[in-house]
Amino acid sequence: MTLPAPFEQQAQATLGQQRYGLLLNAMGEEPPVSIRLNSGLTTTNIAATWGAQRVPWCDSGAYLNGRPSFTFDPLLHAGAYYVQEAGSMFLWHVLRQLFAGTLTDSFRGDEPIDMLDLCAAPGGKSTCAAQSLPQGSTLTVNEPMGKRVQVLSENIQKWWTFGGSNMPQVSVTNSYARDFAKAGATFDIVLADVPCSGEGMFRKDEGAIADWSTAKVEQCRQLQRSIVADIWKCLKPGGVLIYSTCTLNTMENEENTRWIAEELGADILTVPTEPGWNITGSLLEGFTASVYRFIPGITRSEGLFMAVMRKHGSRRPTKRKGSVKPLPLSHLTALHDAADAPLAQLSYQQAVAYLRREALTLSPDMPRGLVRVSYNGAILGLAKNVGNHANNLYPKEWRIKSTHIPEETNVIDII
């Protein structure tokens, strides 16, 4: 792996020689594989096959000693788990601490809140937040880019299908930060996982290396400030902003955190952590506020930066105001409407065929008409049984396109 010389100089100055050496060593290794399980599932169920070890800052997160055939695992498509970089699961810990009253006395654990995930695609942090919010909460997941919002919508609908009544009320939107401000929308919590220069993606994506430049770092720094300034109007007084990037430099991380606190008006909150997690604090000289860096080679994760800030002012529990137009969640709605339809259990080969949107042959005793199809008890979607076969109603845009089907032993068994 060849890194740009300006990046090497910048990273050495930021990290210091020892940390930079650990980062370089990690760059030559395979990234860790980690997943986060949906509500009600535990990591112990996958330990025997995949050697799972719990992610220490997330009870439902697990590292795997191997990489299953995720694309061909029906339980992934059913929303039973999400493949997520472990550092990003720190959001679970942040929200749990927030609602426990550890970070600020503005929130009570049993009080429903309104949360916005502003730059949400592909949905990892949104689904993580869903497992931490108090009952009765609402979660708006937003992605301004048209192609990316389709992936977000797919992942959200699958996660909510499996999670059922344990999930908060959700809406998916396709807007910019300024659109929420124009609509007069307000939120208790805003997660801004802002577009960045992607230095933390170098190990997984060589395209991120080719796309990197010092000019892009500056461009991202300014864009991040613009996005936060726009959405700041929507954060209620006393509300919490969770700011994150997947990059390593101080310009997009500590410097922007300090700018938000000083220019927009916020207190930087301290999140309790354990020394064994190997999270790195601020690397900006003269800036000692609490921030959280996950650096490859030091923490078992990819490059992530996170800071948690409380907006100045007194928080009063109020219902969210204003909104932007949400996208239809057709798959989720259809399954909800068909909650009483007969259930057809599929074998592994049948489940993969269904996910490839092929016609199915169901058992002769299955009633004709609309049926729900499932694998290992997890609902995949709907089909219309016409007797000699069943028409596949799985969304066309979600289908598996590959014709290769691996052995069932190469998928995760967690149910």
Side-chain angles (χ1 to χ4, degrees):
M1 178 184 297
T2 302
L3 299 173
F7 168 78
E8 292 184 316
Q9 296 167 4
Q10 170 191 288
Q12 288 181 56
T14 299
L15 301 175
Q17 288 299 325
Q18 182 180 11
R19 290 194 190 97
Y20 183 68
L22 294 171
L23 174 67
L24 276 186
N25 289 338
M27 291 288 189
E29 301 171 350
E30 286 294 319
V33 179
S34 52
I35 65 172
R36 184 172 35 77
L37 306 181
N38 208 325
S39 302
L41 300 178
T42 64
T43 59
T44 56
N45 293 349
I46 55 176
T49 304
W50 294 102
Q53 303 172 26
R54 190 177 69 82
V55 175
W57 46 84
C58 179
D59 286 351
S60 58
Y63 297 104
L64 304 182
N65 293 335
R67 191 172 188 87
S69 295
F70 289 124
T71 299
F72 293 95
D73 190 346
L75 291 182
L76 173 68
H77 296 276
Y81 67 91
Y82 191 97
V83 184
Q84 184 176 34
E85 187 275 312
S88 296
M89 300 181 199
F90 189 63
L91 175 65
W92 184 93
H93 178 70
V94 169
L95 291 174
R96 286 300 175 96
Q97 295 296 317
L98 177 64
F99 297 128
T102 307
L103 310 187
T104 171
D105 58 6
S106 295
F107 290 82
R108 298 198 317 265
D110 59 348
E111 173 196 311
I113 62 95
D114 299 310
M115 179 174 176
L116 168 66
D117 186 352
L118 181 61
C119 311
K125 292 186 177 67
S126 298
T127 56
C128 186
Q131 294 181 269
S132 306
L133 299 184
Q135 288 290 320
S137 296
T138 64
L139 177 60
T140 301
V141 296
N142 178 73
E143 172 55 47
M145 308 307 293
K147 290 183 179 180
R148 286 171 57 82
V149 79
Q150 300 304 321
V151 176
L152 172 64
S153 178
E154 175 183 347
N155 288 331
I156 291 301
Q157 292 186 74
K158 290 176 177 178
W159 193 259
W160 258 251
T161 295
F162 189 92
S165 60
N166 293 323
M167 297 291 112
Q169 181 181 337
V170 64
S171 60
V172 177
T173 55
N174 179 210
S175 300
Y176 289 94
R178 59 180 178 270
D179 297 322
F180 288 96
K182 288 178 181 177
T186 60
F187 300 93
D188 300 290
I189 300 173
V190 172
L191 168 61
D193 186 33
V194 288
C196 68
S197 57
E199 295 162 357
M201 299 292 291
F202 282 3
R203 176 160 60 170
K204 294 196 297 185
D205 181 7
E206 291 197 5
I209 300 175
D211 194 42
W212 186 92
S213 69
T214 55
K216 182 175 182 178
V217 170
E218 176 60 23
Q219 180 185 22
C220 289
R221 184 176 75 98
Q222 295 297 338
L223 175 61
Q224 291 152 1
R225 294 187 179 190
S226 175
I227 290 171
V228 173
D230 282 340
I231 206 61
W232 195 253
K233 305 164 189 174
C234 301
L235 185 61
K236 297 176 186 178
V240 167
L241 172 76
I242 303 171
Y243 176 86
S244 67
T245 75
C246 60
T247 203
L248 301 172
N249 65 76
T250 59
M251 288 79 80
E252 298 174 70
N253 293 333
E254 286 92 342
E255 290 184 23
N256 272 356
T257 300
R258 181 172 62 185
W259 179 86
I260 293 167
E262 294 179 353
E263 297 300 321
L264 301 182
D267 298 317
I268 301 172
L269 304 179
T270 298
V271 181
T273 60
E274 297 292 335
W277 298 356
N278 296 322
I279 299 173
T280 303
S282 174
L283 296 179
L284 178 63
E285 186 175 354
F287 182 72
T288 58
S290 297
V291 298
Y292 307 90
R293 284 176 166 273
F294 294 73
I295 302 172
I298 299 174
T299 314
R300 193 178 178 189
S301 67
E302 296 305 292
L304 177 86
F305 173 92
M306 187 172 286
V308 185
M309 290 166 270
R310 179 187 179 277
K311 185 176 184 178
H312 289 165
S314 299
R315 180 175 176 271
R316 293 179 298 171
T318 57
K319 290 186 177 181
R320 186 185 60 181
K321 298 178 181 178
S323 62
V324 298
K325 185 178 180 181
L327 301 178
L329 302 178
S330 304
H331 179 72
L332 195 59
T333 301
L335 284 173
H336 180 269
D337 293 343
D340 295 328
L343 188 63
Q345 298 284 354
L346 304 183
S347 68
Y348 175 72
Q349 297 293 331
Q350 285 178 309
V352 173
Y354 175 78
L355 294 169
R356 290 168 56 185
R357 216 169 183 276
E358 298 173 358
L360 297 175
T361 301
L362 303 178
S363 64
D365 59 351
M366 182 61 58
R368 295 195 181 194
L370 199 64
V371 298
R372 295 172 299 152
V373 298
S374 71
Y375 170 75
N376 273 10
I379 304 297
L380 297 175
L382 299 172
K384 187 174 182 180
N385 188 24
V386 295
N388 59 341
H389 71 280
N391 294 328
N392 196 323
L393 301 181
Y394 194 67
K396 293 180 181 179
E397 62 274 18
W398 297 2
R399 72 188 187 280
I400 297 174
K401 297 179 181 178
S402 175
T403 57
H404 168 69
I405 301 179
E407 295 294 328
E408 186 176 6
T409 54
N410 199 32
V411 299
I412 295 177
D413 182 11
I414 53 176
I415 296 180

